[in-house]
Short mmCIF file of all heavy atoms in Angstrom, two decimals:
data_model
loop_
_atom_site.label_atom_id
_atom_site.label_comp_id
_atom_site.label_asym_id
_atom_site.label_seq_id
_atom_site.Cartn_x
_atom_site.Cartn_y
_atom_site.Cartn_z
N THR A 132 7.73 5.85 4.15
CA THR A 132 8.70 6.68 4.86
C THR A 132 8.66 8.13 4.38
O THR A 132 8.75 9.07 5.18
CB THR A 132 10.12 6.11 4.68
OG1 THR A 132 10.15 4.78 5.20
CG2 THR A 132 11.15 6.95 5.41
N HIS A 136 8.27 11.49 6.74
CA HIS A 136 9.25 12.59 6.75
C HIS A 136 8.59 13.91 6.35
O HIS A 136 8.92 14.97 6.90
CB HIS A 136 10.39 12.27 5.79
CG HIS A 136 11.28 11.16 6.27
ND1 HIS A 136 12.37 10.70 5.56
CD2 HIS A 136 11.25 10.42 7.41
CE1 HIS A 136 12.95 9.72 6.24
NE2 HIS A 136 12.30 9.54 7.36
N LEU A 139 6.70 15.25 9.37
CA LEU A 139 7.63 15.74 10.40
C LEU A 139 8.28 17.05 9.96
O LEU A 139 8.48 17.96 10.78
CB LEU A 139 8.71 14.68 10.68
CG LEU A 139 8.20 13.41 11.36
CD1 LEU A 139 9.31 12.37 11.47
CD2 LEU A 139 7.64 13.71 12.75
N THR A 140 8.60 17.18 8.67
CA THR A 140 9.18 18.43 8.16
C THR A 140 8.17 19.58 8.29
O THR A 140 8.52 20.69 8.70
CB THR A 140 9.59 18.26 6.68
OG1 THR A 140 10.59 17.24 6.60
CG2 THR A 140 10.15 19.56 6.12
N LEU A 143 7.44 19.83 12.49
CA LEU A 143 8.56 20.09 13.40
C LEU A 143 9.63 20.99 12.78
O LEU A 143 10.57 21.40 13.45
CB LEU A 143 9.21 18.77 13.84
CG LEU A 143 8.31 17.80 14.62
CD1 LEU A 143 9.08 16.51 14.94
CD2 LEU A 143 7.80 18.43 15.89
N GLY A 144 9.49 21.28 11.48
CA GLY A 144 10.45 22.13 10.80
C GLY A 144 11.45 21.34 9.98
O GLY A 144 11.63 20.13 10.18
N PRO A 145 12.13 22.00 9.04
CA PRO A 145 13.07 21.30 8.15
C PRO A 145 14.24 20.66 8.88
O PRO A 145 14.85 19.71 8.36
CB PRO A 145 13.54 22.40 7.20
CG PRO A 145 13.23 23.69 7.89
CD PRO A 145 12.02 23.44 8.72
N ASN A 146 14.54 21.12 10.08
CA ASN A 146 15.65 20.55 10.86
C ASN A 146 15.14 19.59 11.94
O ASN A 146 15.74 19.46 13.00
CB ASN A 146 16.48 21.67 11.49
CG ASN A 146 17.10 22.58 10.45
OD1 ASN A 146 17.56 22.12 9.40
ND2 ASN A 146 17.11 23.88 10.73
N TRP A 147 14.04 18.92 11.66
CA TRP A 147 13.42 18.06 12.68
C TRP A 147 14.37 16.98 13.18
O TRP A 147 14.27 16.56 14.34
CB TRP A 147 12.13 17.45 12.14
CG TRP A 147 12.27 16.48 10.98
CD1 TRP A 147 12.20 16.79 9.66
CD2 TRP A 147 12.50 15.08 11.06
NE1 TRP A 147 12.38 15.68 8.89
CE2 TRP A 147 12.56 14.61 9.73
CE3 TRP A 147 12.67 14.18 12.11
CZ2 TRP A 147 12.78 13.26 9.42
CZ3 TRP A 147 12.88 12.84 11.81
CH2 TRP A 147 12.95 12.39 10.48
N ARG A 148 15.28 16.54 12.34
CA ARG A 148 16.20 15.48 12.77
C ARG A 148 17.09 15.92 13.93
O ARG A 148 17.58 15.09 14.69
CB ARG A 148 17.06 15.00 11.61
CG ARG A 148 16.27 14.15 10.60
CD ARG A 148 17.20 13.48 9.59
NE ARG A 148 16.45 12.66 8.64
CZ ARG A 148 16.08 11.42 8.87
NH1 ARG A 148 16.36 10.85 10.03
NH2 ARG A 148 15.42 10.74 7.95
N ASP A 149 17.30 17.24 14.07
CA ASP A 149 18.13 17.75 15.17
C ASP A 149 17.48 17.51 16.54
O ASP A 149 18.16 17.56 17.57
CB ASP A 149 18.39 19.25 14.99
CG ASP A 149 19.25 19.56 13.77
OD1 ASP A 149 19.90 18.60 13.25
OD2 ASP A 149 19.24 20.71 13.32
N LEU A 150 16.15 17.27 16.54
CA LEU A 150 15.46 17.01 17.80
C LEU A 150 15.74 15.59 18.32
O LEU A 150 15.48 15.29 19.48
CB LEU A 150 13.95 17.18 17.62
CG LEU A 150 13.46 18.60 17.30
CD1 LEU A 150 11.98 18.57 16.93
CD2 LEU A 150 13.69 19.51 18.50
N PHE A 151 16.26 14.74 17.43
CA PHE A 151 16.46 13.34 17.78
C PHE A 151 17.92 12.94 17.64
O PHE A 151 18.61 13.35 16.70
CB PHE A 151 15.62 12.44 16.86
CG PHE A 151 14.15 12.72 16.89
CD1 PHE A 151 13.57 13.56 15.94
CD2 PHE A 151 13.33 12.16 17.85
CE1 PHE A 151 12.20 13.83 15.95
CE2 PHE A 151 11.97 12.41 17.88
CZ PHE A 151 11.41 13.25 16.93
N GLU A 152 18.36 12.12 18.57
CA GLU A 152 19.67 11.47 18.40
C GLU A 152 19.54 10.31 17.42
O GLU A 152 20.46 10.04 16.64
CB GLU A 152 20.20 10.96 19.75
CG GLU A 152 20.61 12.07 20.71
CD GLU A 152 21.20 11.50 22.00
OE1 GLU A 152 21.37 10.26 22.10
OE2 GLU A 152 21.47 12.31 22.91
N GLU A 153 18.39 9.63 17.46
CA GLU A 153 18.10 8.53 16.54
C GLU A 153 16.62 8.57 16.20
O GLU A 153 15.80 8.99 17.02
CB GLU A 153 18.43 7.16 17.17
CG GLU A 153 19.87 6.97 17.55
CD GLU A 153 20.07 5.65 18.30
OE1 GLU A 153 19.22 4.74 18.15
OE2 GLU A 153 21.05 5.54 19.05
N PHE A 154 16.32 8.11 14.98
CA PHE A 154 14.91 8.00 14.57
C PHE A 154 14.77 6.80 13.65
O PHE A 154 15.47 6.71 12.63
CB PHE A 154 14.43 9.27 13.86
CG PHE A 154 12.96 9.24 13.49
CD1 PHE A 154 12.01 9.72 14.38
CD2 PHE A 154 12.54 8.71 12.28
CE1 PHE A 154 10.66 9.69 14.05
CE2 PHE A 154 11.19 8.67 11.95
CZ PHE A 154 10.24 9.16 12.83
N GLU A 155 13.90 5.85 14.03
CA GLU A 155 13.71 4.64 13.23
C GLU A 155 12.59 4.87 12.21
O GLU A 155 11.45 5.12 12.59
CB GLU A 155 13.37 3.44 14.13
CG GLU A 155 14.50 3.05 15.07
CD GLU A 155 14.17 1.80 15.88
OE1 GLU A 155 13.15 1.13 15.57
OE2 GLU A 155 14.93 1.51 16.83
N ASP A 156 12.95 4.76 10.94
CA ASP A 156 11.95 4.97 9.89
C ASP A 156 10.89 3.88 9.86
O ASP A 156 9.73 4.13 9.52
CB ASP A 156 12.63 5.03 8.51
CG ASP A 156 13.36 6.36 8.28
OD1 ASP A 156 12.97 7.36 8.93
OD2 ASP A 156 14.30 6.39 7.48
N VAL A 171 15.16 8.27 19.75
CA VAL A 171 15.86 8.77 20.94
C VAL A 171 15.83 10.29 20.88
O VAL A 171 16.32 10.90 19.90
CB VAL A 171 17.32 8.25 21.00
CG1 VAL A 171 18.02 8.84 22.24
CG2 VAL A 171 17.36 6.73 21.02
N HIS A 173 16.61 14.27 21.88
CA HIS A 173 17.93 14.92 21.95
C HIS A 173 18.54 14.90 23.34
O HIS A 173 19.75 15.08 23.49
CB HIS A 173 17.85 16.36 21.42
CG HIS A 173 16.86 17.23 22.12
ND1 HIS A 173 17.10 17.81 23.35
CD2 HIS A 173 15.61 17.62 21.77
CE1 HIS A 173 16.06 18.52 23.72
NE2 HIS A 173 15.13 18.43 22.78
#
Side-chain angles (χ1 to χ4, degrees):
T132 301
H136 289 179
L139 292 175
T140 299
L143 298 178
N146 299 321
W147 65 268
R148 287 190 179 276
D149 294 343
L150 294 171
F151 303 95
E152 290 183 5
E153 299 174 22
F154 183 90
E155 295 184 10
D156 285 336
V171 178
H173 57 79

